[in-house]
Amino acid sequence: MKDFSTEISYKTSRSSGAGGQNVNKVETAVTGIWNVMESQFFSFDEKLRISEKLKNRINSEGLLQMTSSESRTQLQNKKIVTEKMLELVKKSLFVPKKRLATKPSKGQIQKRIDNKKKLSEKKENRKFRF
């Protein structure tokens, strides 16, 4: 995986929620912003794949944004945002293997038919005859 963390720009803001004076005066929430199409680390095809897979997270300007206010420190939140963004892009670049269609073997087909016959006989024997 390519480390494009140098292309991510960061913005800070005040975190919400409980925390008292620390929350009121310290900007610990971090938002990571990355322009997908202007990246130097990925080819055009990879950029298209990232844009397609993450289209719900990328805004109209082509920026991927992610915010973290989990930690009490700005540095820790910056680290969390970077890791999450790297992981998200890594998952979006994954191409699953094509499934090869296979046929069941003759033995498996015969086994299935034999089981059906046995079940049919069992149910037939349950019937009451006059």
Side-chain angles (χ1 to χ4, degrees), residues 35-120:
N35 193 327
V36 178
M37 285 304 177
E38 291 183 9
S39 177
Q40 302 296 314
F41 290 91
F42 298 102
S43 68
F44 184 72
D45 292 335
E46 290 173 326
K47 290 177 193 177
L48 287 178
R49 182 175 290 121
I50 292 168
S51 297
E52 183 61 34
K53 294 269 183 154
L54 302 177
K55 63 184 171 194
N56 293 336
R57 291 180 171 260
I58 296 174
N59 64 15
S60 58
E61 290 106 43
L63 300 175
L64 175 64
Q65 292 185 331
M66 194 165 287
T67 304
S68 173
S69 59
E70 297 171 21
S71 176
R72 287 177 61 95
T73 63
Q74 196 179 95
L75 191 64
Q76 190 65 32
N77 281 330
K78 189 175 179 181
K79 187 177 176 183
I80 291 168
V81 165
T82 306
E83 288 173 0
K84 280 184 179 180
M85 203 173 280
L86 289 171
E87 188 62 31
L88 193 66
V89 171
K90 181 181 176 183
K91 284 182 181 177
S92 70
L93 286 172
F94 177 74
V95 181
K97 271 198 309 188
K98 294 264 184 184
R99 183 187 175 277
L100 296 175
T102 57
K103 292 182 179 178
S105 65
K106 287 182 181 179
Q108 285 289 341
I109 293 171
Q110 191 60 46
K111 191 175 174 183
R112 190 182 105 255
I113 291 171
D114 291 344
N115 280 338
K116 286 176 78 169
K117 283 181 183 175
K118 283 181 187 175
L119 193 62
S120 176

